[in-house]
């Protein structure tokens, strides 16, 4: 019988990435888990770091669903050096607007800055009975001067890689190979296999 992982998210992109890596597990989104368990599953994230946010939402989920499940939650975002690491943990929530509008505002904030270095960080928390662990991966890049590309979401169109292309200018397959979430998930998959959860 397959063990079940519940993800503290209903983001389709995240669910797809997790299912591709955890082929030997049943993977449920938050909405799918709600339907199965017949109750609302509300998770919170109001901590000051990616790690603490990932842990908080995953602990919250575990406390709601119980020890029969492996719970995974993540927090990720872009941190821009020249403006003090902003938006960081607030990447998804710092402005009430769609991703494209937020990206234009970030570029406006950076219009007079020469230092364009930025970092895409993902932290994924794993919580099961009697233990919890986090896995982190960061992709370094540079902020563009204008939005570029249409194969992405979030801040992909303003995050430039070493090859001069943005995350939104490369193929989905190329992006999957360097995805910080994928790298962190691979660490989790290896860990789960080794400790035989």
């Amino acid at each position: 019988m397959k063990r079940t992982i519940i993800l503290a998210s209903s983001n389709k992109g995240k669910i797809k990435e997790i299912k591709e890596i955890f082929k030997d597990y049943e993977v449920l989104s938050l909405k799918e888990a709600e339907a199965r368990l017949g109750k609302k599953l509300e998770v919170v994230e109001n901590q000051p770091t990616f790690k603490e946010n990932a842990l908080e939402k995953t602990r919250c989920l575990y406390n709601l669903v119980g020890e029969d499940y492996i719970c995974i939650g993540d927090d990720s975002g872009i941190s821009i050096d020249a403006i003090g690491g902003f938006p960081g943990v607030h990447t998804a929530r710092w402005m009430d607007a769609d991703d494209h509008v937020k990206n234009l505002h970030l570029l406006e904030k950076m219009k007079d800055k020469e230092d364009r270095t930025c970092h895409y960080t993902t932290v994924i928390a794993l919580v099961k009975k009697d233990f919890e662990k986090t896995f982190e991966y960061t992709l370094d890049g540079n902020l563009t001067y204008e939005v570029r590309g249409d194969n992405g979401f979030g801040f992909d169109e303003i995050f430039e890689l070493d090859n001069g292309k943005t995350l939104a200018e490369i193929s989905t397959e190329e992006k999957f190979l360097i995805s910080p979430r994928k790298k962190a998930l691979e660490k989790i998959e290896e860990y789960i296999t080794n400790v035989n959860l």
Side-chain angles (χ1 to χ4, degrees), residues 11 13 17 23 40-41 45 48 52 62 66 71 79 84-85 94 102 137 142 152 154 169 181 191:
N11 180 292
E17 280 190 357
K23 291 184 170 69
K40 187 72 176 166
L41 302 174
E45 50 175 325
E52 290 170 301
Y62 180 77
C71 295
S79 304
W94 70 274
K102 286 193 285 189
Y137 193 87
N142 289 288
E169 290 179 308
R181 185 176 295 109
Y191 180 81

Side-chain angles (χ1 to χ4, degrees), residues 4-149:
T4 301
I5 292 171
I6 300 179
L7 178 66
S9 172
S10 291
N11 180 292
K12 290 180 181 178
K14 292 180 183 181
I15 295 293
K16 184 180 180 207
E17 280 190 357
I18 287 180
K19 285 186 175 179
E20 286 177 353
I21 291 169
F22 291 90
K23 291 184 170 69
D24 295 329
Y25 295 80
E26 178 186 33
V27 178
L28 299 178
S29 70
L30 211 51
K31 286 182 181 176
E32 290 169 333
E34 285 179 339
R36 176 171 299 185
L37 298 172
K39 64 178 180 180
K40 187 72 176 166
L41 302 174
E42 292 188 14
V43 297
V44 294
E45 50 175 325
N46 51 24
Q47 298 300 311
T49 68
F50 292 119
K51 180 178 178 179
E52 290 170 301
N53 258 344
L55 275 171
E56 182 179 41
K57 68 166 71 169
T58 312
R59 286 174 187 148
C60 184
L61 176 62
Y62 180 77
N63 289 334
L64 289 167
V65 303
E67 61 186 53
D68 291 338
Y69 302 96
I70 298 169
C71 295
I72 290 177
D74 83 306
D75 194 30
S76 59
I78 184 173
S79 304
I80 304 169
D81 290 338
I83 48 177
F86 184 84
V89 294
H90 306 291
T91 295
R93 302 175 297 279
W94 70 274
M95 183 182 185
D96 186 17
D98 65 35
D99 293 335
H100 182 69
V101 171
K102 286 193 285 189
N103 290 339
L104 292 175
H105 276 267
L106 283 176
L107 293 180
E108 179 64 21
K109 281 178 177 289
M110 287 288 292
K111 66 180 181 181
D112 298 322
K113 309 287 186 186
E114 288 186 20
D115 178 8
R116 312 295 291 185
T117 54
C118 57
H119 317 279
Y120 171 12
T121 300
T122 290
V123 178
I124 301 180
L126 171 68
V127 175
K128 191 78 173 74
K129 186 180 179 182
D130 300 328
F131 83 92
E132 53 189 34
K133 193 167 178 65
T134 58
F135 303 81
E136 181 172 342
Y137 193 87
T138 297
L139 178 66
D140 298 322
N142 289 288
L143 203 73
T144 59
Y145 288 90
E146 59 187 6
V147 295
R148 300 202 320 260

